[in-house]
Every structure is written in structure tokens, then in C-alpha cells.
């Protein structure tokens, strides 16, 4: 069973790397249009608006889930908000902070740095999940820990790439 999980992680890493390089090209191409943080916000907005079109196919499921969320019991008498709706709103706020941070990170650092950072974040999320839900720590978790942090250490020991003169700045 864990082969499927490893295959999924490898696929996600490849997609993540592709997106990172796409974003790097975007930032280089439009660097004269605004600051990197402004471009990160623009890219974040555009990518999320475009992805809304794809979820139209799931409209039935979304509306069913929304009805269930609105009909859930309230959290407490002092807060007359349905429990599921409140948890969804809190989840969305944390996701917003996370994705905004990722886009800002990708605007200011190389795709490899972003990919390594996100891999460590995913690993820590798995560790937190294992601890939170009381799942056992196996030797495979230990191997993954050594591999992840060994890779981070090796990357941190590499010299930085030489600065490339930007032809626009040279003019």
C-alpha cells in the first residue's frame, strides 16, 4: 500500500517543481510590471480564479456539502454559527495564509529552495498528524527523517549560484 503513497508523493514533487519553474519564468518575464510581492499576489489571484472554472464540474457535490455545513449544529449558544461552517472558515483562513506565504516564497527564492521548504513542511505535517492521531512511529519514518533533513543539510552546504547580470539593469 505504501508504494501508492510514494508514487503520489513523487508525482506531487514533479508537479510542484514544474509549477515552481513556471512561476520563476513568470516573475522574470513580468519583473518590470511591479515588485515581486505584487507579482506574487497577482499570480495567486489569477491561478485561483482560473482554477474556479474547473470546479464547476463538481457543483452538485459542493452544493450538497454546503447544505450539510449550514445545517450542522451551532458551536455554542454564544456563537450562532454552524459548527462545520466555522471550521471551514478557519481552515480557509489558514490555507490563505499558507498559500500566500508559498507564493511570496516563490517570488523571492529559487524553485529548488521553495521545493525543499515545502517538502519539509509536508514532512512536519505528517509527523504532527502521526503524533496527533497516535499513529506509531516506524523505522520508515526514521529513514524519511534522515533523508529529508540530510537533503536540507546538503542543500544548505552548497555554494550559492553566481549572480547573473540582468540585461535590463545593465542598460
Amino acid at each position: 500500500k505504501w508504494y501508492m503513497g510514494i508514487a503520489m508523493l513523487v508525482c506531487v514533487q514533479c508537479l510542484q517543481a514544474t509549477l515552481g519553474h513556471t512561476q520563476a519564468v513568470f516573475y522574470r518575464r513580468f519583473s518590470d510590471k511591479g515588485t515581486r510581492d505584487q507579482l506574487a499576489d497577482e499570480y495567486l489571484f489569477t491561478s485561483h480564479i482560473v482554477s474556479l472554472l474547473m470546479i464547476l464540474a463538481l457543483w452538485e457535490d459542493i452544493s450538497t456539502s454546503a447544505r450539510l455545513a449550514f445545517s450542522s449544529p451551532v458551536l455554542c449558544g454564544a456563537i450562532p454559527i454552524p459548527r462545520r461552517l466555522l471550521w471551514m472558515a478557519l481552515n480557509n483562513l489558514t490555507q490563505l495564509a499558507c498559500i500566500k506565504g508559498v507564493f511570496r516564497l516563490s517570488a523571492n527564492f529559487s524553485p529548488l529552495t521553495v521545493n525543499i521548504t515545502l517538502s519539509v513542511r509536508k514532512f512536519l505535517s505528517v509527523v504532527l498528524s502521526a503524533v496527533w492521531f497516535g499513529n506509531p512511529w516506524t523505522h520508515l519514518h526514521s529513514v524519511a527523517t534522515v533523508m529529508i533533513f540530510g537533503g536540507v543539510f546538503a542543500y544548505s552546504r552548497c555554494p550559492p549560484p553566481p549572480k547573473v547580470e540582468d540585461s535590463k539593469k545593465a542598460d
Side-chain angles (χ1 to χ4, degrees):
K1 288 183 181 181
W2 62 275
Y3 291 112
M4 181 59 81
I6 297 296
M8 289 171 58
L9 285 173
V10 168
C11 182
V12 166
Q13 289 294 94
C14 291
L15 290 172
Q16 185 175 302
T18 302
L19 178 61
H21 286 288
T22 302
Q23 288 173 319
V25 168
F26 170 83
Y27 294 126
R28 274 196 306 275
R29 183 173 181 191
F30 297 107
S31 62
D32 60 334
K33 304 292 185 198
T35 67
R36 286 189 169 263
D37 287 342
Q38 289 170 333
L39 291 172
D41 289 342
E42 179 72 22
Y43 194 62
L44 174 67
F45 176 78
T46 304
S47 65
H48 280 75
I49 289 297
V50 169
S51 67
L52 286 176
L53 297 174
M54 290 183 248
I55 67 168
L56 289 177
L58 302 171
W59 186 251
E60 297 267 335
D61 292 333
I62 293 170
S63 60
T64 301
S65 296
R67 281 192 295 279
L68 288 171
F70 278 106
S71 65
S72 67
V74 297
L75 187 62
C76 65
I79 305 172
I81 299 173
R83 182 177 305 190
R84 288 183 183 172
L85 197 60
L86 183 63
W87 285 120
M88 186 178 68
L90 289 172
N91 183 46
N92 284 334
L93 287 174
T94 59
Q95 291 293 325
L96 174 66
C98 181
I99 196 68
K100 192 166 180 93
V102 168
F103 274 78
R104 293 281 171 101
L105 185 68
S106 70
N108 295 297
F109 294 95
S110 74
L112 182 57
T113 301
V114 173
N115 208 338
I116 288 173
T117 303
L118 295 179
S119 295
V120 170
R121 185 198 63 165
K122 288 173 191 166
F123 172 75
L124 293 175
S125 177
V126 168
V127 170
L128 178 66
S129 176
V131 170
W132 186 274
F133 294 109
N135 293 323
W137 186 268
T138 68
H139 73 283
L140 294 174
H141 289 97
S142 300
V143 170
T145 302
V146 169
M147 290 176 68
I148 296 228
F149 289 107
V152 170
F153 178 75
Y155 179 67
S156 72
R157 306 296 358 143
C158 293
K163 293 286 183 183
V164 178
E165 286 293 320
D166 191 2
S167 61
K168 292 179 184 177
K169 291 181 182 176
D171 291 337

